[in-house]
Amino acid sequence: MRKKNFGLGAMTAATLLAATSAQAGGLERGGYNIDLLFDPSDYVIDSSVTYVNPQRKLNNVQDTNPLDGTNAGRPSDGVRATEGYWVPRIGFKAGIGEAVDCMFDYSQPWGAHLNQGRNWVGANENIETKIKSNNYATTCSYSFDVGPGQFRIIGGAFYQELSGFQERLAAELPSFLLPLTGVGRLDLEGDGWGWRVGAAYEIEEYALRTSLVYNSAVDLDNITGTLDTRQLPGGGITPVFGAASMPDSLEFKFQTGVAPGWLVFGGVKWTDWSQLQTLSFCPQSTRAISCTSRGPTEATSLDLFYRDGWTISGGVGHKFNEQWSGALSLAWDRGVATGLGTHTDTWTLGAGVSYTPTENIELRVSGALGLLTSGSSGPVVRNGQTYGRASYDFDNDLVSAISTSLKVKF
């Protein structure tokens, strides 16, 4: 062992709730997490899986253009919009010499799954949208003595893959007073690189740690895919291209012992979701022409119009004995929606326990219950253009999550 443990078993409880942020703003799921880098053991393997179940329902749904689809018999109230999802994470940390620590991890930071189905009034806005991600990262730190504690310089890089699809009702011009309708499907994939840099300061005697980490944007400069309109008269499969950037973020975390066996912790995170406005996709045959929103070559688009996200969290951890620790936390996530979608403010209460049967094994179970606040969605006007094909309201809804993890130290 190069370092002593901070002496508070409850210190590990500060990370129990990281995976139970439930449903944060934008497309965030697991987000970025480098807490494993601070583990005092020489070698550590940490794996976790979280299941999140948001229960958002839509009411008073109206099709803003009834001529582009058939609404007869379709429900407009109590429409379940969200699907449950799994968030896995696995990481390995190694100490190199007396001052260097490195971690290697796989995670799924971004994702979304909306699935109202074909049988609702807003089917021409969305039938099903699913986005998933894979993130492979390496992060290292170098520590040196400063005053009564240690200062760390943190840096790393990550490679990210994104893929997904959207299906929605599309329509041709009416024929014999009946619309000729069919389902269109957009499939996409892209990848890119990002980097992180940060610093931390730790005082072992007080179980104190503060950290500030910046994660860069990931530029997906060459998103490719297909637009399938074969269900429409004269339709076919069209190769398309586009570009987007997954957001950069800045996160501050702190924790400190306040009494024997007691720890308080918290954090503030900013995420640049506002760079995701409307994502345009154009036929590959038009690559010589700039692909812009409502431009002459645009084939379809994903309209988000997010604003920046803010997450504030805090909690307390306690070491009951040499084997058991626990923690409670409360988090607020500012909604990123600006008129389209259901991403309003979220409040989440989390709790977790940690069991250490031996000095080499730690088992953790945590859960969360959150409130998805009410709001409404409808067409918005940006730069003189109208976006959105349906309007609806939603009440306060619940989101729940449960997470299990296993840490092995050697």
Side-chain angles (χ1 to χ4, degrees):
M1 293 283 290
R2 299 175 305 128
K3 304 173 184 176
K4 295 181 180 179
N5 200 311
F6 274 18
L8 280 176
M11 175 187 160
T12 59
T15 62
L16 282 174
L17 309 170
T20 58
S21 58
Q23 182 164 304
L27 304 177
E28 185 161 339
R29 285 198 169 170
Y32 299 124
N33 189 327
I34 63 168
D35 287 345
L36 181 61
L37 188 68
F38 298 99
D39 192 286
S41 301
D42 288 322
Y43 303 99
V44 187
I45 297 174
D46 191 14
S47 62
S48 67
V49 61
T50 302
Y51 178 73
V52 182
N53 184 29
Q55 301 180 42
R56 180 66 88 188
K57 292 184 178 181
L58 311 179
N59 300 308
N60 303 317
V61 184
Q62 295 183 10
D63 185 349
T64 57
N65 181 12
L67 295 179
D68 62 9
T70 302
N71 295 327
R74 293 180 176 174
S76 60
D77 289 296
V79 178
R80 176 73 181 264
T82 51
E83 294 279 355
Y85 55 86
W86 295 90
V87 183
R89 182 188 302 273
I90 186 167
F92 171 73
K93 178 258 179 180
I96 304 171
E98 292 294 323
V100 176
D101 295 284
C102 287
M103 65 170 283
F104 313 90
D105 70 296
Y106 164 80
S107 63
Q108 295 181 0
W110 321 121
H113 194 185
L114 299 176
N115 188 16
Q116 295 96 331
R118 302 187 184 192
N119 188 35
W120 75 300
V121 173
N124 64 327
E125 180 166 285
N126 185 71
I127 291 175
E128 183 176 10
T129 297
K130 189 171 185 178
I131 298 172
K132 60 181 181 179
S133 63
N134 296 302
N135 192 76
Y136 310 89
T138 298
T139 307
C140 294
S141 70
Y142 176 76
S143 304
F144 53 91
D145 293 335
V146 174
Q150 284 197 321
F151 188 82
R152 286 184 188 242
I153 299 174
I154 301 169
F158 43 91
Y159 170 70
Q160 207 164 101
E161 301 171 327
L162 266 81
S163 61
F165 70 87
Q166 182 184 58
E167 290 184 344
R168 65 178 182 85
L169 188 68
E172 295 287 340
L173 295 175
S175 175
F176 301 106
L177 302 180
L178 293 175
L180 301 174
T181 63
V183 174
R185 179 182 172 103
L186 175 67
D187 286 274
L188 300 168
E189 61 181 10
D191 57 12
W193 288 86
W195 53 271
R196 63 172 51 105
V197 65
Y201 186 67
E202 303 160 280
I203 301 178
E204 182 177 316
E205 180 182 0
Y206 305 111
L208 182 147
R209 179 198 305 146
T210 61
S211 64
L212 183 67
V213 177
Y214 172 78
N215 297 286
S216 77
V218 177
D219 293 328
L220 309 175
D221 294 326
N222 187 30
I223 301 177
T224 58
T226 58
L227 178 61
D228 186 346
T229 57
R230 287 177 295 178
Q231 293 189 21
L232 300 177
I237 296 180
T238 304
V240 295
F241 75 97
S245 290
M246 300 311 296
D248 51 338
S249 64
L250 182 66
E251 184 169 18
F252 171 76
K253 289 184 177 181
F254 76 91
Q255 65 177 53
T256 184
V258 292
W262 289 91
L263 183 86
V264 296
F265 57 91
V268 179
K269 180 174 66 175
W270 164 82
T271 307
D272 188 17
W273 287 113
S274 62
Q275 63 181 289
L276 292 180
Q277 296 297 298
T278 182
L279 310 182
S280 299
F281 300 97
C282 300
Q284 288 279 7
S285 59
T286 66
R287 272 193 175 271
I289 304 173
S290 178
C291 185
T292 59
S293 176
R294 302 297 172 90
T297 62
E298 184 186 70
T300 190
S301 65
L302 297 178
D303 304 322
L304 302 174
F305 297 109
Y306 289 156
R307 64 176 178 175
D308 288 353
W310 287 91
T311 304
I312 301 174
S313 61
V316 59
H318 180 56
K319 178 182 178 180
F320 301 105
N321 53 46
E322 293 302 317
Q323 292 183 317
W324 291 93
S325 299
L328 292 172
S329 74
L330 178 66
W332 168 76
D333 185 87
R334 188 182 82 159
V336 300
T338 60
L340 282 178
T342 63
H343 284 295
T344 52
D345 291 7
T346 301
W347 292 88
T348 308
L349 179 66
V353 293
S354 169
Y355 174 59
T356 308
T358 72
E359 63 179 10
N360 302 110
I361 296 177
E362 181 181 357
L363 301 170
R364 290 164 288 176
V365 178
S366 54
L369 186 64
L371 177 69
L372 307 174
T373 57
S374 61
S376 60
S377 175
V380 298
V381 178
R382 298 289 188 274
N383 300 319
Q385 301 287 341
T386 301
Y387 299 85
R389 299 177 177 86
S391 63
Y392 46 83
D393 303 320
F394 42 91
D395 299 324
N396 293 327
D397 293 309
L398 293 178
V399 56
S400 58
I402 186 168
S403 176
T404 61
S405 65
L406 170 66
K407 180 183 286 189
V408 179
K409 311 174 184 182
F410 51 95

